[in-house]
Structures are given as C-alpha cells and as structure tokens.
Amino acid sequence: MKTKACFILVSLLIALSFGGSGPCFGAEGWSETYKVGTIAPKGIAWALQMDRIVFPEVAKATDGNLVIKVYWGGVMGDDEAIIKKMRIGQLHGAGMSGYGCTLAIPEMAVMQLPFLFNNWQEVDYVKEKMAPIFDEIARDHDYMVIAYIDQDFDVFFSSKYDMTKVEDFAQAKIISWSGALEGEVLQAIGAHPIPVSMTEAPTSIRQGIGDTIIAPKAWAVGTQLYSILKYVSPLNIRYSPAVMLLTWEAYEQMPQDYRDRFMAVRPKIMRDFCLAAREDNEKCLNALLEYGIKQREMSPEEKAKLESMAHTVWEDQAGQQYPAELLEQIQDHLEEFRSNK
C-alpha cells in the first residue's frame, strides 16, 4: 500500500524508510517513493498508531511530498533479512523489534540489561539523555534513528511453571529468540535456553520444544498462544528498546528543510507513540488475564536472589556486547533521576 506522507516510524514492530536517486538540498519540486519493511502485521496496535500518530506529523513535515510503500507482516523477511535488504538498497528503512534493534545497532544491547530499569519514567529519562549518543553510534553504522520506541518490559510466559521461584528457571525449557545477551542472562539465572529464530518461537512453544519464553505482552496475543500458555510473571526483568531506522544515505537525500522539520517534532512523536503503545500492551495483558492466564508474583526474597544472579551479566558483557562507558553513562543518569525523585 502506498501512503503519501513522509513516514518515519514503525514498532516492535513497524518500519519506515526513505530513498532517492541522489542528494536533494531544497524542497521545491522534490518528491520521492520510500520503501519500508517490517515484521509487524498491518492490523496490530503499533501499525494503528502509525496511522494515528506518525503519518499526520510526517505529512506536515514533508508537505506530503513523500510516497511511502510499507511491506508489512514480514513480507520482506525477518529483522535480519530486512537489514540485509537495507544494506543493498532494496529497502531504505525499517521498524525493528528489540532483537532487530540490537542487530542494527549492537551497542543498544546495553538497554536490555536485566533489572536495569524499574519503570517507564526511568526509561524515558535515559532515552532522552542518551539519544544524542545513540544517534552518533547509529550514524557509525550508517543509520539514522527516526524514533526510539519500545518493544515492552518483556515478561515470562509459561505453559508449565508459574516462574515464582529461582528453581523454575532451571527446570523450564526456555525458548530464546532475542539474541546473544538474552542467552547470557538466561544462563546467569540458571536456565538452559533453547535458541530459535524469531519466526520459529511460536511453533516451538506449540510443539512442546519449549514451555517458557520471555516476550512482550502483545506477542502472546498476536501469536494466539493464549490457549497454550498458563502463566505470566509480571516481573520486569528486561526492558526491550525498539527503533525506527533509515539508512543514512536515504536520510541525506531528503531536503534539509524536511529533515529539520521532522527533528523538531521527533520528541513529540516518540512520546505520543510510546504512551499509546504501552497502553496497548497493558490492554493485551488484561485480555490474557481475562482469557484465563494466571499472573503470579515472585516473593521479594526470590526476586532479590534472581536479581543478584542476573546482575553478573552487567560486568561480564561490558566490552563485549556494549562499551563499558555506555553502561556507566546510563547508570549516572539513573542515579541522577532517582536522587531527584
């Protein structure tokens, strides 16, 4: 489907992109078609927020001079395939899940560290402070971040265990689909992760290859696994960032005036989009609970034990999955935020 507007955001899951035949420094007479790929299905909440929040703002920023062709629902493949297509110019932008975010910008894995954030207020504060730094890192990878959005505070779902005891993590067959850091975290808390691709994860649960998974709440609804899953743990063990990207080449081809206009409204777009997406995720959780999935809380003692085990990953992976200085900067911002509350 083609939409005449300068599209710039896509969620856990939506995508966006810009393209063109060469640099264009003035808006007069400029028009272009941009191709965007995403694993997000057309009908999910993130896609609806694009229509309600993103497209109108982008249309204003570009005077309606950009035609967007969005490839929804994994038509262009999974996150890895979409990144490859951006590198060869077949696509010019993407909306990445938490896994896709760290594939495109590996250093952003630091945002996924276990028990790093306590709530959305902390996430928003750190994103605001770190955006200029992450923008520079993304530029080093030849990307322009159109928006820093959220996948979710991912939670554990299980068809067998209520995940209220540390021992549950050692006994469960946990499907791991979100990359190397997730595997390291699961091993640190005593689990034995079963690595699969993102597209294989739902089938792996249905076939009994695994009985537990960490995922966003909307995932359990979108994959229709609520008839198999029995328990959900509300433990916010991990925040997962998501991003909307353009290739740097595509971004540079936009008229400077359009780029300036968009950057002026980027904070508002991110804020409105994230607030709406978070509300949608909570609606998904409520729907799962109404369906019959049981929510079980971990005791403070068990949580403290799990948190202590998971924290070992912070230092172990510094210098491997992310620069140590990035973690230090984030910790400084969190200390500042918490001391001011």
Side-chain angles (χ1 to χ4, degrees), residues 243-258:
V243 288
M244 300 174 185
L245 300 172
L246 295 177
T247 65
W248 189 261
E249 180 181 3
Y251 178 68
E252 278 196 315
Q253 290 171 353
M254 291 184 64
Q256 185 64 52
D257 182 43
Y258 290 168

Side-chain angles (χ1 to χ4, degrees), residues 37-334:
T38 178
I39 63 170
K42 174 61 177 172
I44 69 168
W46 287 285
L48 299 177
Q49 302 307 339
M50 292 303 301
D51 287 333
R52 187 175 70 85
I53 296 171
V54 181
F55 288 136
E57 291 292 345
V58 178
K60 292 178 187 176
T62 60
D63 299 323
N65 284 328
L66 187 67
V67 175
I68 311 298
K69 183 166 186 178
V70 182
Y71 295 90
W72 304 91
V75 170
M76 286 290 178
D78 59 14
D79 284 338
E80 289 189 62
I82 289 172
I83 287 174
K84 289 177 182 177
K85 287 179 171 64
M86 283 195 287
R87 286 174 180 162
I88 64 174
Q90 189 174 349
L91 288 173
H92 310 96
M96 292 294 178
S97 68
Y99 175 51
C101 171
T102 58
L103 281 178
I105 311 170
E107 293 86 348
M108 286 196 68
V110 68
M111 297 286 283
Q112 293 184 324
L113 284 171
F115 300 106
L116 180 62
F117 300 105
N118 294 320
N119 51 53
W120 287 119
Q121 291 77 20
E122 293 182 355
V123 169
D124 289 340
Y125 186 80
V126 168
K127 281 201 297 185
E128 180 183 355
K129 295 294 185 180
M130 294 297 294
I133 295 169
F134 284 135
D135 282 348
E136 291 180 11
I137 294 172
R139 173 67 183 91
D140 291 339
H141 292 288
D142 293 324
Y143 294 114
M144 163 60 190
V145 177
I146 299 305
Y148 296 97
I149 53 174
D150 314 309
Q151 176 169 289
D152 197 1
F153 267 110
D154 295 341
V155 295
F156 280 100
F157 292 97
S158 181
S159 61
K160 190 173 182 180
Y161 300 96
D162 62 14
M163 311 308 286
T164 58
K165 301 179 293 298
V166 171
E167 303 89 80
D168 291 338
F169 294 89
Q171 296 174 14
K173 296 187 293 185
I174 303 181
I175 295 297
S176 176
W177 59 275
S178 192
L181 182 60
E182 178 177 272
E184 295 291 341
V185 172
L186 291 174
Q187 291 183 61
I189 61 177
H192 304 283
I194 303 170
V196 302
S197 70
M198 179 187 298
T199 54
E200 293 171 334
T203 302
S204 298
I205 295 291
R206 288 191 178 93
Q207 293 179 348
I209 296 171
D211 51 46
T212 303
I213 193 167
I214 180 172
K217 304 167 190 77
W219 180 89
V221 174
T223 56
Q224 300 182 357
L225 285 174
Y226 40 79
S227 62
I228 297 173
L229 300 170
K230 294 181 180 178
Y231 301 102
V232 58
S233 167
L235 184 69
N236 288 340
I237 188 172
R238 175 183 77 195
Y239 165 72
S240 279
V243 288
M244 300 174 185
L245 300 172
L246 295 177
T247 65
W248 189 261
E249 180 181 3
Y251 178 68
E252 278 196 315
Q253 290 171 353
M254 291 184 64
Q256 185 64 52
D257 182 43
Y258 290 168
R259 283 185 266 168
D260 292 342
R261 288 194 214 169
F262 177 76
M263 292 305 294
V265 298
R266 183 172 82 154
K268 179 182 184 299
I269 290 176
M270 289 194 293
R271 181 182 66 251
D272 293 350
F273 187 94
C274 287
L275 289 174
R278 293 166 191 176
E279 183 178 340
D280 289 333
N281 262 317
E282 288 309 302
K283 288 179 180 177
C284 287
L285 176 60
N286 291 333
L288 293 169
L289 297 178
E290 288 180 11
Y291 184 84
I293 290 180
K294 297 178 176 60
Q295 181 170 280
R296 294 289 186 261
E297 297 275 357
M298 183 174 270
S299 71
E301 295 77 17
E302 288 293 311
K303 180 183 176 184
K305 191 190 306 182
L306 188 73
E307 189 169 345
S308 177
M309 297 168 71
H311 264 244
T312 61
V313 173
W314 289 30
E315 283 192 26
D316 290 348
Q317 297 305 305
Q320 298 186 57
Q321 307 235 14
Y322 49 83
E325 55 267 28
L326 279 183
L327 176 56
E328 292 170 4
Q329 289 172 309
I330 290 173
Q331 288 177 298
D332 287 344
H333 292 314
L334 285 171

